[in-house]
Amino acid sequence: MPPPPDHGSQPDIQPSAAVLSHLIEARQWERLLTMAKERIAQNVQDGPGHRSAAIALIQLRLGKEAKKHVDLLLQLDPENSYHYVLAAQVAIQLSAFHQARRLLDRGLALEPESPVLHRLMATVMAVEGRVKQASSHIAMAKKLDAGSVETWRTSEFVFRANSAIHGHWKERIKALENALLHDPEDPVVLWQVGTLLQELERNTAAEVWLSRSLAMDPTCSMVINDWKEACERKSFLYRCLSFPWRSLHSFRASFNATAQSKPWVLPFHLLAVKLWTVVFMWWLGTLIFLAPAGWLSRYFLLTHPAFDNRFLPRQWLQSHSKLARWMWMALAAVMGIILAMLVTSVEFISFLMVASVAMLALQAAATGGFILVRRTMSPPPPAHWLSH
């Protein structure tokens, strides 16, 4: 993010615009927001103050608050193309993509050779499914800035938005490789690599890359959630126990991706949903065992403090090996089965156990099959992505 243009600043207002620019370069968003508010308190129409506040709030993902500052900036200086960059970023955060496109059109009319505006337009076009138009804006951005890290990571996003239909694995890997050459510690690129590795079923490596991204940007909820998912996906047992529920999201994503481009696939999707419904009802019937098993696997196997529960602390597990944690989990499972036998009939418990084991075997086969197909059908990631 470039420092805000210092148009119309007043030398007697403190802190100075130079201080604000320094805070932007240092990515100290909370401090920047505090300083910007100090300037605005001295002059409610201070341009640098409102620009800095908008930048900080955008980076803190507080789009609704940033919108107030951006709207005022557009009133104060509607000929500044950078204000349309900020306004479009706010609109994207608020999922107002049509409005973002209109703002970017205005910005490009003022500065048609702005790579930032072309990158943002490519992002919006990709979200809207206009991949050809998005690609043309990416090509223009590469021409204007000689392929900066921002342009390469936007290029990956454009391919990502269309990957559900056409794959684009090699193109995405190439874009991220170029981005890493420009800036190997960019938190957005690290996140993109991590999530791509997740899609390629390389979850151990994905956790490493997402951890690096999280270290660079620890407040990003999106990175936190993706990192947690990578940790969960590393545990094959936990992933199998949650397979029916997660598969629903896969069906929905696949349905949305192919509904318009391949209508002949819809009957097969409907058949898959019907089969999933049968399996899901079976899964619900075995929840009396599978739900506790899922909880136990999460408690004993996902030992990072981020998965802690304040009611059931797990500090005592930190010093135990993985084998020891598996033994503790097995002991807890046996105790649970014995307790269940004390409150109901042995025959009923035996029936549920057989049904649960059969369901778990089915989920393991489906999960393992999906992983095998994905690894077979997709290209291998670069070796250095897996060696970190």
Side-chain angles (χ1 to χ4, degrees), residues 251-296:
F251 281 141
R252 184 175 61 183
S254 177
F255 180 85
N256 292 336
T258 59
Q260 295 181 350
S261 62
K262 298 180 181 179
W264 58 270
V265 179
L266 293 181
F268 297 98
H269 276 291
L270 295 176
L271 177 61
V273 171
K274 291 179 180 179
L275 292 174
W276 175 86
T277 303
V278 174
V279 174
F280 186 66
M281 296 303 295
W282 181 6
W283 181 68
L284 287 176
T286 58
L287 272 182
I288 190 172
F289 279 112
L290 294 186
W295 182 87
L296 287 174

Side-chain angles (χ1 to χ4, degrees), residues 19-267:
V19 172
L20 299 181
S21 297
H22 171 74
L23 292 174
I24 291 173
E25 293 175 2
R27 301 178 63 86
Q28 296 184 20
W29 309 122
E30 292 85 357
R31 181 69 172 162
L32 174 64
L33 182 59
T34 301
M35 294 288 190
K37 288 183 177 179
E38 289 182 11
R39 284 186 65 102
I40 294 172
Q42 299 172 61
N43 180 3
V44 294
Q45 293 190 337
D46 179 61
H50 285 288
R51 276 189 291 273
S52 298
I55 291 171
L57 291 166
I58 289 170
Q59 295 298 321
L60 294 171
R61 296 163 188 88
L62 299 172
K64 290 184 178 180
E65 295 183 35
K67 189 176 185 303
K68 302 174 184 177
H69 298 279
V70 169
D71 289 344
L72 182 58
L73 287 171
L74 291 175
Q75 294 178 15
L76 294 174
D77 189 0
E79 300 302 314
N80 189 331
S81 64
Y82 185 65
H83 293 169
Y84 292 95
V85 170
L86 296 176
Q89 289 176 325
V90 170
I92 291 171
Q93 283 195 4
L94 298 178
S95 299
F97 298 107
H98 181 69
Q99 179 184 2
R101 184 153 42 85
R102 286 192 292 103
L103 290 165
L104 292 169
D105 282 334
R106 295 177 188 172
L108 285 169
L110 293 170
E111 191 176 351
E113 295 189 353
S114 167
V116 179
L117 289 167
H118 282 288
R119 285 196 297 267
L120 286 172
M121 183 65 85
T123 301
V124 172
M125 292 291 187
V127 171
E128 293 182 336
R130 305 189 202 186
V131 180
K132 289 185 178 180
Q133 295 94 323
S135 299
S136 66
H137 283 284
I138 284 294
M140 180 61 72
K142 289 179 182 178
K143 179 180 178 181
L144 293 170
D145 66 5
S148 65
V149 62
E150 292 85 359
T151 297
W152 282 115
R153 70 190 190 193
T154 305
S155 178
E156 190 277 336
F157 177 79
V158 171
F159 287 121
R160 176 190 296 247
N162 203 38
S163 63
I165 302 174
H166 300 296
H168 291 309
W169 304 111
K170 293 181 179 180
E171 293 87 346
R172 293 172 64 188
I173 291 173
K174 179 182 177 181
L176 291 178
E177 283 282 79
N178 281 288
L180 288 169
L181 288 175
H182 284 79
D183 188 353
E185 297 300 325
D186 182 87
V188 178
V189 176
L190 296 176
W191 168 79
Q192 287 175 292
V193 173
T195 51
L196 178 53
L197 286 169
Q198 275 186 313
E199 295 178 40
L200 297 175
E201 292 299 334
R202 309 284 180 164
N203 295 302
T204 301
E207 182 197 0
V208 174
W209 285 84
L210 290 169
S211 297
R212 292 174 59 191
S213 176
L214 195 58
M216 300 292 292
D217 190 3
T219 64
C220 181
S221 59
M222 181 173 58
V223 178
I224 293 171
N225 292 334
D226 287 331
W227 171 81
K228 284 187 173 181
E229 183 177 353
C231 294
E232 293 172 352
R233 288 160 65 101
K234 279 176 55 181
S235 171
F236 185 75
L237 175 61
Y238 183 80
R239 188 171 177 182
C240 292
L241 290 168
S242 61
F243 177 80
W245 180 251
R246 290 181 183 272
S247 64
L248 175 62
H249 298 285
S250 300
F251 281 141
R252 184 175 61 183
S254 177
F255 180 85
N256 292 336
T258 59
Q260 295 181 350
S261 62
K262 298 180 181 179
W264 58 270
V265 179
L266 293 181

